[in-house]
Each structure stands twice: as structure tokens, then as C-alpha cells.
Amino acid sequence: MATDARQLDVARNAHNATSNQPRIHTRTNTAEINSTINHPGSVKINVQGAFIVDQESMTPNGYSTNSGTHETKDIRLPNHTAVVSHIAIGGSLAKLVYFSREPHSREPGGRLNFINFETDCIDDCVDFMIQLKIKQQRLNGSKPDKLCVMATGGGAYKYYDKIKEALEVDVIREDEMECLIIGLDFFITEIPHEVFTYSETDPMHFAEARPDIYPYLLVNIGSGVSMIKVSGPREYQRVGGTSLGGGTLWGLLSLLTGARTFDEMLGLAERGDNAKVDMLVGDIYGADYGKIGLKSSTIASSFGKVFKMEREAERAAENSGGQIDEDKNSPCYPRLLPLSVAGAKAERQAAQPLQYNVSGPAFEGADVSRSLLYAISNNIGQIAYLQSEKHKLAHIYFGGSFIRGHRQTMNTLSYAIKFWSNGEKKAYFLRHEGYLGAVGAFLKRQPRNWGRRNSASEPSG
């Protein structure tokens, strides 16, 4: 993930060096959540001149958190002067969006802040929200029962009682699909340099604003995958999806590697070599299969090489009369798969990556991670393309916490869309891809016709 962040930061800085957009050079320390919270539903956000702040990540000054990740992508609102008091939480990860004033600054405006917690650390998330509540009450003398928490996603129901009891506030639950669309519309229409395409040669190419953004396909990749056709503001239909999503990757890699978090798994995938476990076109034909447009590096069968090596090891053992050679480099050396759940837990406790010995070069958990990441991403990309063709949708946006700005993930999804469409379609990504639902819930408390292009307004008629 560190490599991804550096690569994307280079692209962002290169763009900002030639951009007329102002930049904030201070660190991300959102110390003051300046809010009276008396009438949260009557607050307008002035997005004129809004831009994304690119800088180093820091936990907001004045708040402490043991397990929260404060994103580097706050949105600066230089012309906003009213207060915004409510907090939004959404998704399978606990993702918070809240507004704060610029600390130690006399300039007007403030920023939207983004922070996430693993659901296993929901208590830390609640503690953080309590700190926000105490801070604003001390600064503004507000009544503690006036804080508004907007919630969406499964966590809005699963943790409803916990949040309501701990904060002693109203928790308003909003529909997940509707919040996703509202959030995406907001980012597409209101925030410059938010939407981009990805390729290995151009890792962050910002998309040009379009006067008419509809219709489009949203592919939201969380624990599972939902594919949503959006025809207009709050006009949408779930047209498909797949159960093979981020939860699949997380679950299988928790069994097959020593990784304990999703970010650790993505880090393993960054270092891995899928060619050690995947059967490639080159392994079958010895070269490209140019007649049908397949490169030698194209994956013909995910994990297919593992099965082949397993059979070779079995045959070698049979030929040796069932004797097991203690030489780990020998084709007779027994493989370690299948891996038991108990074995996986032992590896996690030892905090060491698993190594698998096979007939030939050994492959590690990092190689398995990369292979599985490719398998799931390729599958999602192909299904997304087929849905876009079926519903005649030219633009495909990918969102959800599965992506995490991860280079291999974005490259695989981009390649799949480009390959299957013969270059006619592109995969579009967002710098706040994991916060669509949370931002949508946040915006549900806004009145009609706010913003530059009314991205969160009610449908007319």
C-alpha cells in the first residue's frame, strides 16, 4: 500500500503543479469541529471552489484513536461558512464523514474529514464519535442530545443500539443503495479531480467533467458486489452482482496466509508473483496466442499451476514407492495444502507468512494473495462489462472499500473493461471510493437545490 500511495501522490502532485486550483500546504490536523448542531437539517454546504487536499496523513489534532485510519484525502471547502454538525457512518467498514473548521486559521471555510475503522474495532469508532461530541459541546455549549448521526449499510442496523446508547443521540438509518448513488453523484458533479482512469503508464488520469452524467453503471465492491444502473438523480435499479467480492478475498486469504487485515493482504499481493501459482497462456502454448489476442502473460487458469504441481508430486511419490524424500527441493517432497484452519491460526499467531513447498520453486502466501486478487478482480470486471452491454451503459464507475487505491486491483479492473470492450469503454475510479454511502448519508440531511449542480437534490415532479 505504501508503494501505491507514493505512486498516486506523484501523479497528484504533478497535476497540482500545473493546476489553477489552490492547495493547502498545512498538515491534516482537523482540531475543531465547530458546530452548534441545533438544526442539522437546515445547513447548506457551499461547494464553490471545493478541492481535494493532498498531503501527509495525520490523526486529527485533539482526537485520539487506536485503530482508525484517517484518510489523506480531505475535501477543502474554502467558501463554506455555516456549521455542519452531523456525522455519517456507513458500509461494512465503519466509515465516518464529518465537517470541521480549519484549525488555527482565520480564513473562512472548513473541510470534510474521512476516517475508517475495521468493524472488529467498532468500540474504538464509538469512542472516537464520543470525543467529537464532547469536543463540540465544550466549544459551542451545544446540547448533547442534538448531535445527529446518519448511518447506512449493514452497520446502521447491526450497531444501531450500541451507537445510540453510547452517544445518547438520534441515529437516523438511510437506505444503502440510495446513499451510494447520492454520494457518487456528489463526487462526480461537485468535486474537481475526484474521478480518474488508471493505467500502468498513466496511473491517475483525471476525467473531464460531463454536462450529463446519466446513465451510468456503479459497481460497488464491498464484502459482495452490487451493480447498479443509474438513470437519473435517485433513479436507480440493481441489475446484478456477485457474491465473489472483498469478503471472499478476505476470507480465503485469512485461511491461506498469515495476514490479519485487508490492508496486510493487499500488501502481500503487492509483493507476490501470481505466475508461480497461475497457469498462463505461455505455460500452455509457450508464447502469445496472437490469433485470439491473448498475451503469454494472460491468466489461463487461476491456481492452475498449483494443481499441476500437486499431480506431479503425487506421481513422483508413486514412482518412488511411496517413499518421501526429505529434500525440500525434491519433487517427492509433500505439499502443505490443503491448509487447516488451525494451521492458519497458528501462522497468524506466529506473524510469519506461510510458505508452500512444491516440485520446483517454492511459492509463498504473497503469490497466493496476488493470484486470488487477480481472480476476483478479473471476474468482477468481466461481469461489469457484460452488465454495461446488456443495459447499454457507456460509463462504468467502481466504488467500495475493496479497491483502496490499490494498483493491481485498479489495473486488473481497467484491463478487463478495456479488453472485453475492445477499448471502447473505460473503468472510472474515485479517490474517495470507499465513502460513497457515508457521504450520501451525510448529504441526506441537506435541503433541496444546494451545491453547484444540485447533485443531492430531490427528483423533480
Side-chain angles (χ1 to χ4, degrees):
M1 290 300 291
T3 301
D4 298 334
R6 286 195 297 270
Q7 187 170 5
L8 293 182
D9 283 340
V10 168
R12 294 169 185 163
N13 293 335
H15 176 85
N16 284 325
T18 59
S19 173
N20 292 325
Q21 289 290 336
R23 291 192 66 215
I24 299 298
H25 296 284
T26 56
R27 294 175 181 268
T28 306
N29 48 0
T30 52
E32 309 248 341
I33 189 157
N34 182 10
S35 52
T36 58
I37 68 172
N38 289 324
H39 303 287
S42 64
V43 175
K44 292 185 179 181
I45 296 179
N46 186 342
V47 297
Q48 187 67 36
F51 62 96
I52 300 173
V53 181
D54 292 314
Q55 53 199 13
E56 296 181 22
S57 174
M58 286 187 64
T59 301
N61 185 29
Y63 309 111
S64 62
T65 171
N66 295 325
S67 56
T69 300
H70 188 259
E71 298 294 327
T72 62
K73 299 169 288 189
D74 290 349
I75 295 178
R76 180 76 165 91
L77 303 171
N79 295 302
H80 183 73
T81 57
V83 294
V84 179
S85 59
H86 43 287
I87 303 168
I89 175 173
S92 54
L93 285 171
K95 290 160 285 191
L96 268 62
V97 178
Y98 62 95
F99 180 85
S100 72
R101 293 292 180 205
E102 287 298 321
H104 316 299
S105 174
R106 296 182 179 180
E107 297 180 1
R111 65 177 65 194
L112 290 179
N113 304 270
F114 303 86
I115 184 169
N116 69 63
F117 295 80
E118 302 284 355
T119 50
D120 289 343
C121 303
I122 190 64
D123 289 336
D124 292 332
C125 175
V126 172
D127 289 342
F128 183 80
M129 287 192 287
I130 291 174
Q131 290 184 59
L132 291 178
K133 174 185 173 182
I134 294 173
K135 187 79 170 181
Q136 63 80 25
Q137 184 180 5
R138 183 169 69 248
L139 291 175
N140 302 297
S142 305
K143 295 180 180 180
D145 62 348
K146 293 297 183 180
L147 180 65
C148 177
V149 176
M150 308 293 294
T152 185
Y157 296 89
K158 185 174 182 179
Y159 302 113
Y160 174 84
D161 292 334
K162 177 184 287 289
I163 296 172
K164 186 175 178 64
E165 180 180 350
L167 271 69
E168 298 179 334
V169 299
D170 289 333
V171 180
I172 302 175
R173 292 176 286 196
E174 297 290 349
D175 179 75
E176 182 176 12
M177 294 295 176
E178 184 176 14
C179 287
L180 286 172
I181 304 308
I182 293 173
L184 179 55
D185 282 358
F186 169 76
F187 283 124
I188 293 174
T189 60
E190 305 288 0
I191 306 301
H193 312 145
E194 171 69 35
V195 180
F196 65 96
T197 59
Y198 181 92
S199 69
E200 291 182 329
T201 56
D202 190 1
M204 182 174 277
H205 182 82
F206 292 106
E208 297 292 334
R210 295 184 290 116
D212 185 6
I213 66 173
Y214 308 108
Y216 64 77
L217 181 70
L218 168 60
V219 182
N220 192 60
I221 313 174
S223 299
V225 182
S226 286
M227 300 184 184
I228 308 166
K229 175 185 176 181
V230 183
S231 303
R234 308 198 188 193
E235 183 181 346
Y236 59 89
Q237 175 188 5
R238 187 182 187 275
V239 294
T242 173
S243 62
L244 303 181
T248 309
L249 183 72
W250 198 334
L252 289 176
L253 291 186
S254 69
L255 295 176
L256 298 174
T257 74
R260 288 169 288 183
T261 69
F262 197 41
D263 286 331
E264 287 180 23
M265 294 170 190
L266 294 179
L268 284 175
E270 180 73 24
R271 302 191 302 270
D273 180 6
N274 69 297
K276 292 183 178 180
V277 294
D278 290 341
M279 183 178 293
L280 310 181
V281 168
D283 295 322
I284 300 174
Y285 295 99
D288 296 346
Y289 194 167
K291 188 174 182 179
I292 58 175
L294 297 179
K295 297 180 179 179
S296 61
S297 59
T298 300
I299 299 171
S301 176
S302 297
F303 290 89
K305 196 173 290 183
V306 176
F307 175 76
K308 182 179 179 181
M309 289 185 288
E310 177 83 13
R311 294 297 300 272
E312 289 176 353
E314 290 175 354
R315 284 196 294 268
E318 292 173 358
N319 294 336
S320 65
Q323 297 297 317
I324 294 188
D325 193 332
E326 293 298 328
D327 180 4
K328 293 184 178 182
N329 294 320
S330 167
C332 299
Y333 190 78
R335 300 217 41 258
L336 299 181
L337 292 177
L339 176 68
S340 68
V341 175
K345 290 182 178 179
E347 281 293 337
R348 286 199 295 269
Q349 292 172 355
Q352 296 177 352
L354 297 177
Q355 293 186 345
Y356 305 87
N357 296 291
V358 296
S359 55
F363 63 87
E364 301 181 351
D367 307 319
V368 172
S369 298
R370 190 152 184 161
S371 173
L372 190 58
L373 177 68
Y374 280 166
I376 292 175
S377 298
N378 274 320
N379 182 62
I380 294 171
Q382 184 173 10
I383 296 175
Y385 163 73
L386 293 173
Q387 290 290 355
S388 72
E389 284 292 287
K390 178 180 178 180
H391 297 280
K392 296 179 174 57
L393 303 171
H395 294 84
I396 307 172
Y397 294 91
F398 288 89
S401 298
F402 173 78
I403 299 172
R404 305 279 185 102
H406 191 249
R407 183 171 61 87
Q408 278 82 22
T409 305
M410 293 189 293
N411 192 53
T412 304
L413 292 170
S414 295
Y415 179 81
I417 298 300
K418 181 179 180 180
F419 177 84
W420 292 109
S421 69
N422 292 319
E424 295 182 0
K425 296 183 179 182
K426 297 179 180 179
Y428 292 94
F429 303 98
L430 298 101
R431 295 170 70 178
H432 294 85
E433 76 279 321
Y435 290 90
L436 303 184
V439 169
F442 188 97
L443 299 176
K444 287 278 283 184
R445 294 293 289 180
Q446 306 309 320
R448 294 170 180 249
N449 303 322
W450 74 278
R452 285 176 293 197
R453 298 175 64 182
N454 303 331
S455 59
S457 62
E458 296 283 353
S460 60

